[in-house]
Amino acid sequence: MPAGVNETARLDAIRSLDLESSADRALFSRLTLLASTMLDCPVALLSIVEDDRQWFLGRTGFDFPEPLRDISLCAACIGAQQPLLVPDARSDHRFCDNALVTGAPFVRSYISVPIRGEEGLILGTLSAISPEPDAFCEDQIPPLAMLAELAEQSIALHVRTRDLSRANAALQQTSQVFRQAERATNVGSWRVDIASRQLFWSDQVYAITGLKPGHSVSVPDAVALYEHEDQAMVAAALEATIVEGRPFSFATSIRRPDGQSRRIRVQGERIDVGGRPDSVAGIILDCTEEHLRNAALKRAAEHDRLTGLFNRASFDRRLAAAMRNADREPVMVALLDLDGFKDVNDTLGHLVGDRVLGAIAAHLHQRIRSGMFLARWGGDEFALLFPPEMPHDEAIAFLEQLLGELDDVVAMGSTALVIGATCGVARMNRSGSGEEIMRRADLALYRGKEEGRGSVVCWNAQIEARQSERQRAIARLRAALNDGRAVAAYQPIVELETGRIVSLEALLRLKGEDGGLITASEIFSALLDPEMSRRVSRVMLDQVVADGPAILALLGPETRIGLNLSEADLRKNDFVRHLIEVVDDSALTPANFTIEVTETMLLDAGGQLRASLAMLDNCGFTICLDDFGSGFSSLTHLRAFPIHKVKIDRDFIAAIDTDHQSRLIIQAIVQMGHSLGLRVVVEGVETEAQEVFLRSIGCQHVQGYRYGHPALMEELQERLGPFAAPLRLSA
């Protein structure tokens, strides 16, 4: 440490503040988010640098382990005791060999200002990081220093609050800087004097509640602002804190005088002075926008946007729960497919088709009985889960009556529309998968289509015997695997800002006997067979490993290759170990791989599947959640599984021209992903208009026909040539 820095006093000051165990990191993370937004960079950190390590009081966009002090760039700023600007760390002799520069997060540009305690000692830094060189300039140091002052004031407020709780003092009138911080974060503070029961609010609490600052508010007045059903809970929580000293924290809603509802989080704790209760103090956070955004995401993820019914992901979850108890309570499902709907779309257009679907969905929703669960399964199909106590014959009679009513449901002016439906029914009385019972219902449905539309057909052994398509697909796939005709085709994932190909997704293709290529969708039913799925995964792994050196030569050593794995792969520990061993023995590293999994695989993930994902993550493979947004449990999966990358379901980008909600959902997911440090890819991008929209919301990575169709390795080499890595991809 350079002369002039009293390191012992500095470290003593850090320890005396006790920030790591008691500070509100969410507040400081909002300051780093503000710094990241203001400087237009992906990473901002509020760091505390101790004698052997650097840890984060607040962070945005940085999910890597906390570094040791000897590789900390922030330590250089502390040593200099002044702001530090590094235009390009790779060309700076001080940092060019630093592990944070040569490896993740690949720091190029760095800017930081010191954070000081009240005694003037430097505690840490407020810094910003960019993977691009020359991202910052000298003019950005003053505004960053202003944010650092806010952080210093917040630390000082933390210290004063802690000291006041020990030394019989009340919360003081916040400074102008702190009021600015309150407004920036929409957090207000409050205090109740226990002896007088007098309530004190900061200005921001008045702003949150919609009352004029300075207006006298009593505790009963404040409790009356809460929704009626929550008022007793709020009063009881405050009283329990006063009497028993129990801290409280809850989220609820208030009703402002203008009638507007606001969602808030409230925290409070008792302050004792001289061993006696003195006051209760806490904060109120206005989280209305976050609450509305999450509610909209949940609604959009659980319900079909067109019909308002539950969507397929919601049905899958409900069905999976029912199938786990099928040994005790038989499960019966119906799959209903509209007859003649394609003709409506083809002759009258999709807008009329959407109105037809909406009308039929409304009728079905009105007709279902208590205990039934109705969802739009996809396209013009609807799924129905019956209550276990409903007799089979009664369910069939209900469905037959329902189908008979559909002709009278749709009326489009003077146009006569004939819309009927065919229904397939399956029933199981033993535990199994939701996929299996729906497969049986689907077989029964298409048997009904063959026999004559408008009927209700129940699955039976004879229908199963007729099911030959899957077997033909399996035979077709098995022959291709045995003959070595299964190959990998690669579709690029492009970085929008530079046009560079940063990743490829490996997709299965079969070479037909006529020389043509067969896509995976053409033999998809065969891939549902676990044995075939595992064989395909091994072949694809071998192909990617063989093509890997050529891909890295084309696109650079940091290129990732996406490999789709099935549930069968992840539930077999030997395959995961085989994958790791094959990669270890190859020219590739785990960092070159993205393992793509789907939400349905995670809906009922057991211990082995979780262990497999954890093993891959620990080895350095990137886990990607495909088709993100198609189910609300996707949000839960981000927390429950080691997900570092998401692909937004192609249905959202396809609908942005006609569905404004799809635009909002894409934007929300992109912003959420960036805030969580996730890489976000939008799939299915095909038009310039879609690209323009994605650029406008800050989307960084895209995939779709606009940037390239899946291509075999030879075609990829011809298309890109030996100098593709630095070139911009032509749209």
Side-chain angles (χ1 to χ4, degrees), residues 658-672:
T658 57
D659 183 5
H660 181 65
Q661 191 177 50
S662 291
R663 288 173 171 262
L664 296 178
I665 291 173
I666 293 175
Q667 183 174 4
I669 294 175
V670 168
Q671 292 175 349
M672 179 188 67

Side-chain angles (χ1 to χ4, degrees), residues 3 15 19 49 145 271 372 488 497 518 580 599 643 651 663 676 702 726:
R15 282 190 287 270
L19 292 171
V49 179
I271 299 173
M372 296 182 181
E497 182 178 359
I518 302 168
I580 295 171
E599 178 182 348
I643 305 297
D651 288 346
R663 288 173 171 262
L676 295 176
V702 289

Side-chain angles (χ1 to χ4, degrees), residues 228-263:
H228 180 73
E229 59 272 17
D230 292 332
Q231 292 178 10
M233 177 272 293
V234 174
L238 179 61
E239 190 64 24
T241 302
I242 293 173
V243 175
E244 303 173 23
R246 292 185 301 182
F248 64 83
S249 176
F250 56 80
T252 183
S253 297
I254 60 171
R255 183 72 59 177
R256 292 168 32 149
D258 61 4
Q260 186 181 20
S261 177
R262 304 298 292 178
R263 189 72 177 178

Side-chain angles (χ1 to χ4, degrees), residues 306 341 344-345 348-358:
L306 176 62
F341 181 74
V344 173
N345 270 341
L348 300 177
H350 288 279
L351 289 179
V352 174
D354 289 349
R355 292 174 61 189
V356 170
L357 282 176

Side-chain angles (χ1 to χ4, degrees), residues 258-450:
D258 61 4
Q260 186 181 20
S261 177
R262 304 298 292 178
R263 189 72 177 178
I264 60 172
R265 292 196 187 102
V266 184
Q267 292 182 348
E269 63 181 56
R270 192 177 74 186
I271 299 173
D272 293 351
V273 177
R276 301 182 64 181
D278 177 78
S279 60
V280 178
I283 61 170
I284 295 177
L285 167 65
D286 187 336
C287 56
T288 304
E289 284 69 29
E290 177 189 358
H291 176 71
L292 293 176
R293 183 169 58 251
N294 288 340
L297 283 172
K298 184 178 187 296
R299 168 75 187 179
E302 290 185 340
H303 291 77
D304 175 62
R305 295 188 299 277
L306 176 62
T307 63
L309 300 178
F310 285 104
N311 59 20
R312 182 167 180 168
S314 298
F315 188 87
D316 285 343
R317 288 191 292 272
R318 181 66 67 92
L319 180 59
M323 289 302 297
R324 287 193 290 270
N325 298 318
D327 291 334
R328 298 186 300 273
E329 297 181 331
V331 177
M332 183 163 54
V333 298
L335 193 57
L336 186 150
D337 183 88
L338 301 184
D339 300 330
F341 181 74
K342 185 177 184 301
D343 294 335
V344 173
N345 270 341
D346 292 343
T347 58
L348 300 177
H350 288 279
L351 289 179
V352 174
D354 289 349
R355 292 174 61 189
V356 170
L357 282 176
I360 290 177
H363 178 74
L364 295 177
H365 185 265
Q366 184 180 17
R367 289 282 288 107
I368 62 172
R369 302 177 186 176
S370 175
M372 296 182 181
F373 190 84
L374 174 68
R376 185 184 179 196
W377 183 250
D380 60 346
E381 289 186 326
F382 300 88
L384 189 60
L385 175 64
F386 292 93
E389 66 274 7
M390 191 170 192
H392 180 270
D393 291 345
E394 183 179 340
I396 299 303
F398 169 80
L399 291 170
E400 290 174 343
Q401 182 180 0
L402 193 64
L403 297 190
E405 298 168 353
L406 292 185
D407 284 341
D408 300 326
V409 170
V410 183
M412 297 294 167
S414 60
T415 304
L417 299 181
V418 179
I419 299 292
T422 303
C423 188
V425 179
R427 185 176 184 273
M428 291 181 64
N429 56 8
R430 67 177 187 276
S431 297
S433 68
E435 290 84 353
E436 174 59 22
I437 193 171
M438 293 307 296
R439 184 192 69 84
R440 295 184 180 189
D442 190 55
L443 287 180
L445 170 64
Y446 282 94
R447 178 58 177 167
K449 294 280 190 182
E450 293 175 357

Side-chain angles (χ1 to χ4, degrees), residues 136-306:
F136 309 118
C137 63
E138 292 282 350
D139 293 340
Q140 292 173 316
I141 290 177
L144 187 62
M146 291 179 64
L147 288 182
E149 290 180 14
L150 288 177
E152 291 169 353
Q153 291 292 332
S154 298
I155 291 173
L157 178 63
H158 156 75
V159 173
R160 284 194 292 272
T161 302
R162 184 200 61 188
D163 291 343
L164 290 174
S165 68
R166 297 172 179 172
N168 188 26
L171 294 173
Q172 301 297 317
Q173 180 68 30
T174 58
S175 66
Q176 180 63 30
V177 173
F178 181 68
R179 287 196 295 271
Q180 292 174 353
E182 278 198 335
R183 288 195 294 271
T185 57
N186 213 2
V187 176
S189 59
W190 59 270
R191 183 173 65 90
V192 174
D193 182 81
I194 294 178
S196 65
R197 295 298 176 105
Q198 190 172 359
L199 174 63
F200 301 91
W201 279 355
S202 70
D203 288 348
Q204 196 59 28
V205 176
Y206 283 101
I208 292 170
T209 58
L211 297 174
K212 292 182 178 180
H215 176 76
S216 178
V217 179
S218 66
V219 171
D221 292 338
V223 172
L225 291 171
Y226 291 86
E227 296 292 352
H228 180 73
E229 59 272 17
D230 292 332
Q231 292 178 10
M233 177 272 293
V234 174
L238 179 61
E239 190 64 24
T241 302
I242 293 173
V243 175
E244 303 173 23
R246 292 185 301 182
F248 64 83
S249 176
F250 56 80
T252 183
S253 297
I254 60 171
R255 183 72 59 177
R256 292 168 32 149
D258 61 4
Q260 186 181 20
S261 177
R262 304 298 292 178
R263 189 72 177 178
I264 60 172
R265 292 196 187 102
V266 184
Q267 292 182 348
E269 63 181 56
R270 192 177 74 186
I271 299 173
D272 293 351
V273 177
R276 301 182 64 181
D278 177 78
S279 60
V280 178
I283 61 170
I284 295 177
L285 167 65
D286 187 336
C287 56
T288 304
E289 284 69 29
E290 177 189 358
H291 176 71
L292 293 176
R293 183 169 58 251
N294 288 340
L297 283 172
K298 184 178 187 296
R299 168 75 187 179
E302 290 185 340
H303 291 77
D304 175 62
R305 295 188 299 277
L306 176 62

Side-chain angles (χ1 to χ4, degrees), residues 31 43 86 91 192 223 249 343 463:
L31 290 176
V43 178
V86 181
S91 60
V192 174
V223 172
S249 176
D343 294 335
I463 291 178

